[in-house]
Amino acid sequence: MSAALVVRGLQASLGDLAILKGVDLEVPYGEVHALMGPNGSGKSTLCHVLMGQPEYTASGSALVGGTEVLGLPVDARARAGLFLGFQYPVEVPGVTLRELLEEMGQAAGAGAGYWSTVEAAAERMALAPFLGRPVNEGLSGGEKKRSEMLQLLALRPRVAVLDEIDSGLDIDAVREVAAAVEAMRSPDLGVLLITHYSRILRYIAVDRVHVMAAGRVIRSGGKELAGALEAGGYDAMVREAEPAAPPAADDFLQGL
Amino acid sequence: MLPLTEQTFARVAATLPEWARPSAAAGYEAFSALPPPDPRQEEWRYVEVEVDLDSLQLAESPGPPLPPDVALIGALGEPAGHAINVDGHTVAVEAADGVRLTALGPALAADGETLRGVFRSGPGPRLDRFAAAHHAFATDGVFFHLPRGRRLSAPVLVEFQATRANSLALPRLTVLVEDGAAGALVLHYRSPSGVPLVAVPQVEVVVGQNARLEVSVIQEWGDATRAYAHQTMVAARDGALVLAEAGLGGVNARLHLRLDLEGPGADAQVLGAYFGHRRQTLDYRYYMLHRARHTTSNMYLKGAVGDTARSVFTGLIRIEPEGQDSDAMQTNKNLVLAEGAEAHSVPNLEILANEVRCGHGSTVSPLDPEQRYYLMSRGLDSARADRLQVKGFFEDVLARFPQAALEPLLRRSLVARYDGLQREQSR
Ligand SMILES: Nc1ncnc2c1ncn2[C@@H]1O[C@H](COP(=O)(O)OP(=O)(O)OP(=O)(O)O)[C@@H](O)[C@H]1O
Ligand SMILES: [Mg+2]
């Protein structure tokens, strides 16, 4: 069986600004991968380029469950099985989470059991009181992330890309989100978890860690890679990956 | 049908009680003297009036009433009263025991004393040539009277309909809410589609001390109707005014609204939800006058325009020197849904007192691409995503409409209007 997500030579730019410079990445079914990298390295850009945010120009290839999604409209990518948990979930004034979940069910042609499954999940995630509130409006950081997870459960995607699902969460909330991710693990799903902290990796048995820098995946490895990052920071790894690079201006200044 | 001539005026004036005749005479004088609306005037800048008033005629008798709006009547449950005016003639009035809802004509004869202080106390004859025509030629309407201390729990429904081609319909609504009384009124404007006609309704509301009136206007004129409505609302000490308007109909529909907070502590809440399509112009001129201490007001209007429709909101908050410690807010937000559509939003403040809180905000913008993207990422196609966003846009203002029972109905109408645009675009 092919992987849930296969990204090959993915390049993307925003106007004249090239952000992704050839990303290669594969997440097999049943696995949870972590994607780490310094601020501005292009992690969120990768998410939005995969999802089809119309502002970016992209080339290369991105297969979701075997379907090439580059060039498809955003909703078609969702229907192909891609789910993106946003780093900054968007507020939709005047539309309740319940309404959104109902619309999602209709758009997906969901069967009769859809709503009871969603309600049970909302109950489990202590989100029931939020069903009647406008989507993401006035929610705390943790509540927004839980609401994203609930929508993920409702849509049952093949690929879940979770952009900083653990940012801004307290310890308990991180553990809850991690437990939710572990609970989702299934042979029909591949998860790409974007994070800055190895903290969440204590609660999730990630199968692989990828490190992104300056628009490329520069290292991939086992869980120990996260530990190495924690200890040495990104800098060393970035330099190691590009030994031929000329010394940065900062280094020059530091030598003075 | 009667032409708008001196003979017709004389005939009409003769039906009014002696004391009301000077106002009709002032109307006819203004009608003869005032020029037609001039696009060079600020007042008519964004509005193509295209009406030859002099060619219109009055319906001598009313046409058959339009079929009842079952959904609206159902939503209101048991209204405390129901009055229907067709082509300027009040044809039916029902009222629960003790509810003073009557036709204006007979009321002028029977209840003259009470009416004297209110009737035609509102929009003046020289406001524009439409107002002049109303004063000169109007004969009938509806009178709603809440005597001192009377509190009605159910609203009354007043329907103003116009049906005759090339006619000028001049219905009037006079409302007197005496000290300590409270009530609610729903005013429904309708005319058949495809019938060219002009309506100039006038509404005057006088609210006494510690009294309260909530008015919900549902404007659903037909697509060939041009309507120029004038409305005034006055509140005495600690009186409360609520006006909520849903604007959907007419090829050209203006609401000229003036609220006077005359007594200290008076409050006004003005809400609006409008949605223009095709080549409609929906045009609002709202004046909020703070004339006493501690008066408070809040205007909150939200509108959308699609196709080649246009909306105009011109709002003025004026705080007189007597209006110290007043608090006034004016907000107008617009969604522009098509290249050919436009929304003009012109809020103004005139503050002559120094101890006040006063603010205004206005926005004109397309649908939010971030929201569209987010919703589409959940599998909704762009049409579904946009529809949901439009629904959401109106939600907060609908929630503030005074008659909660109307909310589902109005929401349905607004979303249906959006669905209509979609179909026309994809054809
Ligand atoms: N809308 C935009 N306009 C200009 N530059 C942008 C825009 N979006 C992204 N960028 C740039 O692209 C680069 C990658 O940004 P991106 O948000 O993908 O980084 P990230 O890895 O997600 O960072 P973080 O860890 O801070 O979330 C950054 O240099 C950023 O400034
Ligand atoms: Mg990011």
Side-chain angles (χ1 to χ4, degrees):
Chain A
M1 195 150 90
S2 75
L5 175 67
V6 180
V7 179
R8 289 278 171 261
L10 184 61
Q11 303 196 2
S13 54
L14 202 61
D16 292 337
L17 178 70
I19 304 176
L20 300 185
K21 297 163 183 164
V23 173
D24 295 290
L25 192 70
E26 210 171 299
V27 182
Y29 282 108
E31 295 195 0
V32 178
H33 289 198
L35 177 65
M36 306 183 78
N39 294 130
S41 55
K43 303 180 299 296
S44 293
T45 303
L46 171 64
C47 296
H48 293 304
V49 167
L50 289 176
M51 197 71 244
Q53 221 269 29
E55 282 175 28
Y56 298 96
T57 324
S59 64
S61 166
L63 302 174
V64 171
T67 305
E68 176 59 63
V69 295
L70 291 194
L72 293 183
V74 177
D75 55 313
R77 299 184 192 211
R79 283 195 301 274
L82 178 64
F83 180 87
L84 171 61
F86 281 50
Q87 180 175 1
Y88 303 110
V90 178
E91 294 181 4
V92 190
V95 176
T96 63
L97 182 55
R98 176 180 287 110
E99 283 175 292
L100 173 57
L101 287 162
E102 283 170 358
E103 289 274 346
M104 282 161 54
Q106 281 172 29
Y114 172 79
W115 190 246
S116 54
T117 315
V118 170
E119 261 188 329
E123 202 67 52
R124 226 171 33 244
M125 302 172 74
L127 277 173
F130 294 91
L131 288 176
R133 296 199 7 200
V135 175
N136 296 322
E137 227 179 24
L139 266 59
S140 77
E143 288 159 355
K144 284 184 188 167
K145 299 291 158 118
R146 261 159 45 218
S147 161
E148 294 286 282
M149 294 292 284
L150 176 62
Q151 294 171 55
L152 188 167
L153 292 176
L155 284 178
R156 304 162 145 275
R158 296 166 196 270
V159 176
V161 178
L162 305 175
D163 194 3
E164 299 204 16
I165 197 78
D166 56 337
S167 287
L169 299 196
D170 62 43
I171 302 277
D172 292 351
V174 168
R175 209 178 301 151
E176 273 168 40
V177 165
V181 172
E182 271 300 347
M184 278 172 358
R185 196 189 279 269
S186 97
D188 307 315
L189 175 72
V191 177
L192 183 64
L193 195 76
I194 291 157
T195 181
H196 281 297
Y197 309 103
S198 55
R199 169 175 91 158
I200 193 169
L201 305 182
R202 271 185 244 146
Y203 309 107
I204 299 179
V206 291
D207 299 282
R208 273 184 93 69
V209 175
H210 307 277
V211 180
M212 193 161 179
R216 283 193 187 86
V217 174
I218 56 162
R219 282 280 292 277
S220 293
K223 198 173 177 174
E224 68 285 351
L225 206 52
L229 279 175
E230 192 93 322
Y234 288 113
D235 237 20
M237 200 174 288
V238 170
R239 241 172 295 153
E240 191 184 316
E242 290 177 1
D250 294 17
D251 292 351
F252 177 67
L253 288 173
Q254 272 159 21
L256 283 178
Chain B
M1 301 284 273
L2 299 169
L4 305 182
T5 57
E6 187 158 8
Q7 287 87 323
T8 305
F9 154 68
R11 231 177 106 172
V12 164
T15 67
L16 294 172
E18 190 75 44
W19 58 265
R21 283 180 204 162
S23 104
Y28 188 71
E29 197 193 309
F31 181 71
S32 312
L34 287 176
D38 181 344
R40 283 167 306 184
Q41 288 171 293
E42 184 275 331
E43 241 200 290
W44 300 102
R45 208 170 119 200
Y46 300 111
V47 189
E48 281 135 36
V49 173
E50 292 169 355
V51 169
D52 177 12
L53 254 182
D54 300 281
S55 73
L56 300 170
Q57 301 200 313
L58 301 177
E60 233 178 320
S61 60
L66 300 173
D69 185 332
V70 186
L72 174 63
I73 292 169
L76 292 177
E78 289 265 299
H82 184 178
I84 303 174
N85 179 289
V86 182
D87 299 317
H89 304 271
T90 298
V91 297
V93 183
E94 289 165 31
D97 274 355
V99 174
R100 300 196 190 174
L101 183 70
T102 51
L104 251 181
L108 281 169
D111 203 3
E113 272 317 301
T114 325
L115 262 171
R116 217 177 254 235
V118 219
F119 179 72
R120 297 206 174 172
S121 66
R126 302 197 68 88
L127 213 51
D128 55 40
R129 200 155 181 259
F130 297 107
H134 184 106
H135 279 257
F137 300 109
T139 51
D140 202 356
V142 173
F143 179 42
F144 179 39
H145 178 201
L146 286 166
R148 184 180 273 270
R150 185 75 212 268
R151 294 180 166 257
L152 281 188
S153 49
V156 301
L157 172 62
V158 176
E159 296 191 48
F160 282 174
Q161 305 177 2
T163 66
R164 304 267 203 196
N166 306 312
S167 71
L168 175 64
L170 304 170
R172 183 171 206 86
L173 173 61
T174 300
V175 182
L176 173 61
V177 185
E178 293 190 41
D179 293 354
L185 186 146
V186 176
L187 176 57
H188 192 193
Y189 290 122
R190 276 197 294 165
S191 53
S193 279
V195 180
L197 59 86
V198 175
V200 181
Q202 293 206 336
V203 177
E204 58 207 347
V205 172
V206 174
V207 165
Q209 296 190 12
N210 269 307
R212 175 183 181 86
L213 184 74
E214 296 174 348
V215 179
S216 305
V217 177
I218 305 176
Q219 189 277 89
E220 292 183 306
W221 292 116
D223 62 11
T225 294
R226 293 169 187 277
Y228 306 92
H230 307 107
Q231 178 160 344
T232 61
M233 300 175 85
V234 183
R237 174 185 289 268
D238 296 324
L241 307 170
V242 182
L243 172 79
E245 196 251 8
L248 291 159
V251 61
N252 188 335
R254 161 171 288 195
L255 174 53
H256 183 293
L257 174 72
R258 172 184 160 139
L259 296 107
D260 283 273
L261 301 175
E262 268 192 357
D267 174 69
Q269 301 294 318
V270 176
L271 303 156
Y274 50 90
F275 199 147
H277 71 158
R278 300 187 188 148
R279 39 183 294 269
Q280 271 183 309
T281 299
L282 299 176
D283 166 22
Y284 298 96
R285 294 188 72 80
Y286 282 13
Y287 301 84
M288 181 73 75
L289 308 174
H290 288 254
R291 305 156 74 95
R293 291 187 85 91
H294 290 295
T295 46
T296 49
S297 71
N298 197 349
M299 275 192 219
Y300 192 66
L301 282 87
K302 280 185 142 182
V305 278
D307 302 334
T308 55
R310 181 188 292 180
S311 69
V312 187
F313 169 76
T314 309
L316 173 67
I317 298 174
R318 184 178 159 97
I319 303 188
E320 301 289 349
E322 302 76 43
Q324 295 293 6
D325 300 313
S326 289
D327 189 329
M329 185 66 201
Q330 178 178 221
T331 308
N332 175 230
K333 296 185 177 177
N334 295 278
L335 267 185
V336 179
L337 300 169
E339 286 278 308
E342 51 188 79
H344 302 273
S345 184
V346 192
N348 299 284
L349 304 177
E350 263 179 52
I351 302 177
L352 308 175
N354 51 3
E355 284 293 321
V356 299
R357 287 182 44 181
C358 191
H360 63 102
S362 97
T363 60
V364 175
S365 59
L367 283 170
D368 177 14
E370 294 272 324
Q371 285 187 50
R372 179 186 292 134
Y373 168 53
Y374 183 72
L375 293 169
M376 288 178 75
S377 82
R378 305 298 135 111
L380 277 54
D381 61 33
S382 62
R384 248 181 213 275
D386 289 354
R387 182 180 202 265
L388 206 54
Q389 195 183 144
V390 168
K391 192 230 78 139
F393 171 77
F394 285 110
E395 208 57 34
D396 63 343
V397 69
L398 286 185
R400 287 159 70 171
F401 268 49
Q403 297 294 313
L406 296 179
E407 201 185 304
L409 211 88
L410 298 176
R411 181 182 299 114
R412 229 176 298 139
S413 300
L414 291 165
V415 173
R417 173 59 52 88
Y418 175 73
D419 290 340
L421 302 180
Q422 288 285 96
R423 267 199 307 285
E424 272 160 43
Q425 273 161 11
S426 56
R427 260 209 301 265

